[in-house]
């Protein structure tokens, strides 16, 4: 008999057809996230779950006694309770590589947008404020030839470094848990300790995954090390930064601006101070959100799911859950 799977988000037709060749599908078709109690009911007799950000914790696993694999359509897997999954022998997979260039493109868009005040000045033109002689009022900060510091020199970090080095002639340093000699040679990037990187960089891009070690890695002390002219970009996960400290650093002029794709709470509260700040560029967590890349991620997630349920080791089993 075919294994049973539950899909908690919309997938392209060809991806669903591929899964259906191997599995019996049940799915959630709502636009909002599936209510948790309903998800528990759906998982009572299910072998595989295809999701993106749904929290996979001990409570959910308790309600899913036949579950073998959770395939996430994301590269980050901070929504997996790895200890609970390991204890139950549940496989967990993600979708690395296929989104590197798309997310890196958005990191550059945030850098350029924050430095040249693109969203702010778009509003300025559209609301009729543009007058002759505005002059220095509209000035921004150069991206080309500036110093970029990347925190987390992984797959996406390298793609950002490549764009910055070879597209914008930037001087790139990185801080990472482990040294990356190959990236240093190939991309001409330099390893820095975190404090040194923060003090020297014109742009700091956060690209480390959210883990116990990176939770609020950047806070008040770290913003105070940065230059008053510097720009902070977060495209990893909101919780890697102390958001209140970021608000205060931007309000006090400790740093000049920020470009953000991710937040502590998503969607962001409508009364969040960021929404009133002209020096903060706010995007709605769209790092990988192009049609092509999301289709590629969906197909990779489907392949991971099917291979796990047909007796193979899925190609993107997350490291912490491999034996
Ligand atoms: P990756 O290849 O695993 O790279 C992560 C890098 O961070 C690795 O080089 C890793 O070092 C380093 N790292 C891990 N823990 C660290 C620590 N405590 N201190 C310093 N460095 C540390 O992952 P990726 O594919 O580049 O993705 C990075 C993150 O981007 C994802 O986890 C996700 O949260 C985020 N993301 C966001 C979006 C979005 O829509 N905004 C889209 C895609 C990804 P090692 O080499 O030593 O492991």
């Amino acid at each position: 008999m075919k294994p049973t799977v539950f899909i908690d988000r919309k997938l392209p037709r060809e991806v669903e057809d591929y899964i259906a060749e191997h599995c019996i599908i049940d799915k959630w078709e709502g636009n909002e996230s599936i209510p948790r109690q309903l998800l528990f009911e759906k998982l009572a007799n299910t072998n595989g779950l295809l999701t993106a950000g749904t929290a996979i914790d001990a409570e959910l696993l308790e309600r899913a006694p036949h579950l073998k694999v959770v395939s996430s359509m994301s590269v980050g897997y901070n929504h997996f309770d790895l200890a609970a999954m390991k204890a139950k022998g549940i496989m967990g997979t993600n979708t690395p590589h296929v989104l590197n260039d798309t997310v890196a493109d958005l990191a550059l868009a945030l850098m350029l947008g924050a430095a040249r005040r693109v969203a702010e000045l778009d509003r300025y033109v559209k609301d009729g404020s543009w007058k002759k002689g505005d002059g220095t009022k509209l000035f921004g900060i150069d991206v080309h030839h500036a110093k970029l510091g990347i925190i987390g020199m992984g797959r996406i970090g390298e793609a950002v470094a490549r764009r910055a080095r070879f597209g914008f002639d930037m001087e790139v340093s990185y801080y990472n848990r482990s040294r990356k000699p190959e990236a240093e040679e190939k991309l001409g990037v330099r390893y820095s300790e975190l404090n040194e990187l923060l003090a020297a960089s014109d742009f700091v891009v956060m690209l480390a995954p959210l883990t116990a070690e990176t939770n609020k890695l950047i806070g008040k002390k770290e913003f105070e090390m940065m230059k008053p002219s510097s720009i902070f970009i977060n495209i990893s996960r909101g919780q890697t930064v102390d958001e209140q400290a970021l608000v205060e650093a931007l309000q006090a002029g400790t740093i000049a601006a920020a470009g953000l794709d991710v937040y502590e709470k998503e969607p962001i509260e409508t009364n969040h101070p960021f929404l009133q700040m002209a020096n903060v560029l706010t995007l709605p967590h769209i790092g990988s959100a192009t049609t092509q890349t999301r289709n590629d991620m969906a197909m990779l997630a489907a392949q991971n799911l099917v291979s796990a349920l047909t007796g193979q080791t899925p190609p993107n089993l997350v490291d912490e859950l491999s034996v």
Side-chain angles (χ1 to χ4, degrees):
M1 213 172 76
K2 285 180 177 177
T4 51
V5 298
F6 186 70
I7 302 170
D8 81 358
R9 59 208 47 247
K10 290 180 181 145
L11 296 178
R13 168 58 69 85
E14 65 274 18
V15 175
E16 231 180 270
D17 288 349
Y18 165 74
I19 299 173
E21 282 171 30
H22 306 274
C23 309
I24 299 164
I25 294 182
D26 187 8
K27 61 185 179 183
W28 170 247
E29 302 208 71
N31 290 324
E32 304 289 311
S33 301
I34 182 169
R36 204 155 157 83
Q37 286 306 321
L38 180 57
L39 178 63
F40 290 164
E41 283 168 34
K42 295 288 187 185
L43 292 179
N45 288 305
T46 297
N47 306 127
L49 169 64
L50 195 154
T51 182
T54 299
I56 308 302
D57 53 19
E59 186 192 21
L60 179 143
L61 297 178
E62 214 40 62
R63 307 292 292 267
H66 305 286
L67 195 66
K68 294 197 171 79
V69 59
V70 179
S71 170
S72 185
M73 212 182 110
S74 63
V75 65
Y77 50 88
N78 48 285
H79 52 298
F80 286 177
D81 179 336
L82 294 167
M85 290 173 76
K86 206 167 179 131
K88 295 244 177 216
I90 308 287
M91 288 179 269
T93 64
N94 66 343
T95 57
H97 304 291
V98 291
L99 42 50
N100 294 350
D101 286 323
T102 298
V103 181
D105 284 353
L106 196 79
L108 267 293
L110 285 167
M111 287 165 61
L112 289 160
R116 300 300 300 272
R117 304 164 56 195
V118 171
E120 178 195 352
L121 295 182
D122 172 70
R123 284 193 298 275
Y124 174 80
V125 173
K126 286 185 178 146
D127 73 13
S129 301
W130 188 18
K131 290 175 217 68
K132 278 203 170 139
D134 278 345
T136 56
K137 216 167 101 180
L138 310 183
F139 286 6
I141 293 170
D142 277 327
V143 174
H144 69 86
H145 294 93
K147 292 190 170 117
L148 167 64
I150 299 176
I151 302 172
M153 185 57 106
R155 293 170 290 245
I156 302 171
E158 283 200 21
V160 172
R162 193 172 311 114
R163 283 159 174 72
R165 284 279 295 128
F166 306 124
F168 292 85
D169 296 310
M170 297 182 85
E171 202 180 297
V172 182
S173 2
Y174 73 98
Y175 166 70
N176 199 71
R177 178 166 61 176
S178 51
R179 279 287 284 265
K180 302 278 173 167
E182 264 182 44
E184 288 175 27
E185 179 155 351
K186 187 172 63 182
L187 301 171
V189 298
R190 194 175 69 82
Y191 178 80
S192 258
E193 286 306 328
L194 182 58
N195 295 353
E196 188 200 334
L197 177 148
L198 293 168
S201 299
D202 300 307
F203 293 82
V204 172
V205 175
M206 169 54 86
L207 263 166
L210 174 61
T211 63
E213 293 78 49
T214 63
N215 192 18
K216 292 195 167 53
L217 181 66
I218 305 300
K220 185 173 192 302
K221 181 165 68 70
E222 287 71 27
F223 289 120
E224 281 169 358
M225 290 177 199
M226 291 172 63
K227 303 190 221 181
S229 56
S230 64
I231 296 182
F232 181 75
I233 306 296
N234 191 1
I235 192 163
S236 73
R237 289 289 183 265
Q239 295 85 344
T240 58
V241 176
D242 179 339
E243 205 163 87
Q244 185 53 35
L246 176 56
V247 169
E248 286 164 17
L250 288 159
Q251 283 169 339
T254 311
I255 66 171
L260 307 174
D261 187 42
V262 290
Y263 309 87
E264 250 173 46
K265 184 169 182 305
E266 296 178 4
I268 193 169
E269 302 280 0
T270 51
N271 62 351
H272 196 291
F274 286 153
L275 306 188
Q276 304 303 324
M277 298 166 84
N279 57 344
V280 184
L281 180 55
T282 46
L283 294 182
H285 201 149
I286 52 159
S288 64
T290 65
T291 306
Q292 180 65 53
T293 292
R294 284 287 170 87
N295 286 353
D296 293 346
M297 290 166 70
M299 187 49 97
L300 190 52
Q303 287 162 350
N304 284 321
L305 180 77
V306 167
S307 74
L309 292 175
T310 52
Q312 300 155 60
T313 302
N316 304 112
L317 184 60
V318 305
D319 285 347
E320 293 89 339
L321 295 173
S322 51
V323 277

